Amino acid sequence: MTFTIVSLLPGTQNTNGDAQNATVLERRAEWAGIAARTVSVERAAELPGEVDAVVLGSGSDASLERSRDVLRTMHEELRRWGTEGVPILGIGTGLELLGWGVEHRDGSSLEGLGILPGRAVPRDGRVTGDVVVASPRFGRLVGFENHARDYVGAEGSPLGRLRAGAGNGRDSGQEGVVMGSVIGTHLHGPVLAKNPAFADALLRIMAERRGLAYEPGEAAAAIDAYAAAARQAQLRAAGIELAPEA
């Protein structure tokens, strides 16, 4: 058995290296003794017949409409996979495209796929910097945010609450959105590389769907030590190094 991990539109949706979250899942699966492959998909005809996880990274506003139009041709598959419990991870504009859509400052709007609740709306100025999130499902997450829009309408199902950073904005105190195994976040990093426990949680979902058990392999320990050091540095920068994991 081989895990199939789809990296969606890596040619346009990878401005922050977010497409590499697919590689993180692939490597950690292999370290656990599970064969895995990453399939880069730029058009619907390239979608594999069976999928275990999907990663949709962040792109520029210049490519936003083009990416949306391509994703529309895959709407049926994405919605079905989300209903079936396949982990789908959208980051940055990937989150926005999976949501209800994007409102622009000039009053125009771009309709999203509607797979996740919430809509991206203009904010006053771009926000960049470290983010720390307490997620009840995935533990404490760290990452870097870089976005010029807030995200509203996800208050009932956020990824977690903020310990540092702007997250969804509008003084919501929240970051991201979750609907079953479909997850959207502003966290770059790539987020799964900085948060191995988050990656392992997705891999357990993938394994359970296939009737398997997943436990991190021994080879992951050395890499996780690097991730832990990066996390500690980010927590120190955010001034919450001694905050308990939550």
Side-chain angles (χ1 to χ4, degrees), residues 62 66 135 172 183 189 224-225 227 234:
R66 178 156 50 99
S135 172
S172 67
I183 302 159
D224 290 357
Q234 198 157 354

Side-chain angles (χ1 to χ4, degrees), residues 51-140:
V51 169
D52 294 284
V54 177
V55 170
L56 175 62
S58 188
S60 68
D61 279 5
S63 62
L64 198 62
E65 185 170 357
R66 178 156 50 99
S67 292
R68 190 281 312 272
D69 289 346
V70 175
L71 290 172
R72 272 182 168 175
T73 68
M74 312 173 187
H75 194 186
E76 182 178 340
E77 289 86 354
L78 288 167
R79 187 172 291 280
R80 173 168 53 84
W81 290 333
T83 301
E84 292 174 351
V86 172
I88 300 175
L89 177 62
I91 305 101
T93 63
L95 155 63
E96 295 176 348
L97 290 169
L98 291 176
W100 297 332
V102 177
E103 294 180 7
H104 298 298
R105 192 170 295 279
D106 64 4
S108 64
S109 62
L110 180 75
E111 185 179 358
L113 272 67
I115 293 173
L116 283 172
R119 179 181 301 276
V121 297
R123 60 172 290 125
D124 293 330
R126 177 172 292 275
V127 59
T128 61
D130 293 325
V131 186
V132 181
V133 180
S135 172
R137 186 173 173 186
F138 301 111
R140 185 160 63 187

Side-chain angles (χ1 to χ4, degrees), residues 131-135 138-143 159 187 191 195 198 231 246:
V131 186
V132 181
V133 180
S135 172
F138 301 111
R140 185 160 63 187
L141 306 175
V142 303
L159 175 60
L187 272 63
V191 62
N195 301 278
F198 186 14
R231 288 167 59 83

Side-chain angles (χ1 to χ4, degrees), residues 108-243:
S108 64
S109 62
L110 180 75
E111 185 179 358
L113 272 67
I115 293 173
L116 283 172
R119 179 181 301 276
V121 297
R123 60 172 290 125
D124 293 330
R126 177 172 292 275
V127 59
T128 61
D130 293 325
V131 186
V132 181
V133 180
S135 172
R137 186 173 173 186
F138 301 111
R140 185 160 63 187
L141 306 175
V142 303
F144 185 83
E145 63 183 341
N146 178 12
H147 54 102
R149 287 183 285 269
D150 291 331
Y151 197 83
V152 299
E155 291 78 11
S157 53
L159 175 60
R161 65 186 185 279
L162 288 169
R163 293 294 178 82
N168 291 348
R170 303 292 168 107
D171 297 320
S172 67
Q174 298 175 335
E175 159 55 24
V177 59
V178 177
M179 183 65 68
S181 294
V182 184
I183 302 159
T185 181
H186 296 98
L187 272 63
H188 306 293
V191 62
L192 297 184
K194 282 193 171 182
N195 301 278
F198 186 14
D200 288 340
L202 299 186
L203 284 159
R204 287 192 180 93
I205 295 171
M206 295 161 62
E208 287 171 4
R209 293 187 68 252
R210 293 287 201 128
L212 301 174
Y214 170 84
E215 290 298 333
E218 292 183 7
I223 301 300
D224 290 357
Y226 290 113
R231 288 167 59 83
Q232 285 300 315
Q234 198 157 354
L235 289 170
R236 282 196 300 271
I240 55 173
E241 180 182 8
L242 300 179

